[in-house]
């Protein structure tokens, strides 16, 4: 994931631990499980909504 995002692995681990503390995900040994999608969506930036809505606007 770090390579895909162009960041250090320690940065991914740090953010994943913070998100895990909200109950949105479980993160262990490089594996992420989504536990609460609504929390995860609330934590995400507006980019998530844009990416979800984009295909809908293109098909009109």
């Amino acid at each position: 994931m770090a390579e895909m995002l162009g960041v250090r692995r320690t940065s991914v681990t740090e953010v994943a631990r913070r998100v895990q503390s909200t109950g949105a995900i479980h993160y262990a040994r490089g594996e992420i499980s989504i536990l609460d999608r609504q929390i995860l969506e609330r934590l995400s930036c507006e980019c998530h909504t844009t990416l979800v809505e984009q295909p809908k606007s293109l098909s009109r």
Side-chain angles (χ1 to χ4, degrees):
M1 184 179 300
E3 189 174 323
M4 284 179 13
L5 297 170
V7 298
R8 297 183 338 250
R9 284 183 7 198
T10 54
S11 298
V12 171
T13 300
E14 182 182 325
V15 172
R17 284 185 182 152
R18 282 194 229 158
V19 175
Q20 181 171 255
S21 73
T22 69
I25 65 168
H26 176 260
Y27 177 75
R29 296 186 177 153
E31 292 187 18
I32 298 174
S33 300
I34 297 173
L35 302 177
D36 192 321
R37 185 181 174 120
Q38 289 180 332
I39 294 173
L40 196 56
E41 287 178 2
R42 279 198 306 267
L43 294 172
S44 68
C45 67
E46 67 279 354
C47 307
H48 172 68
T49 304
T50 301
L51 291 172
V52 169
E53 295 296 325
Q54 186 177 17
K56 293 176 188 174
S57 67
L58 292 175
S59 63
R60 291 180 190 170

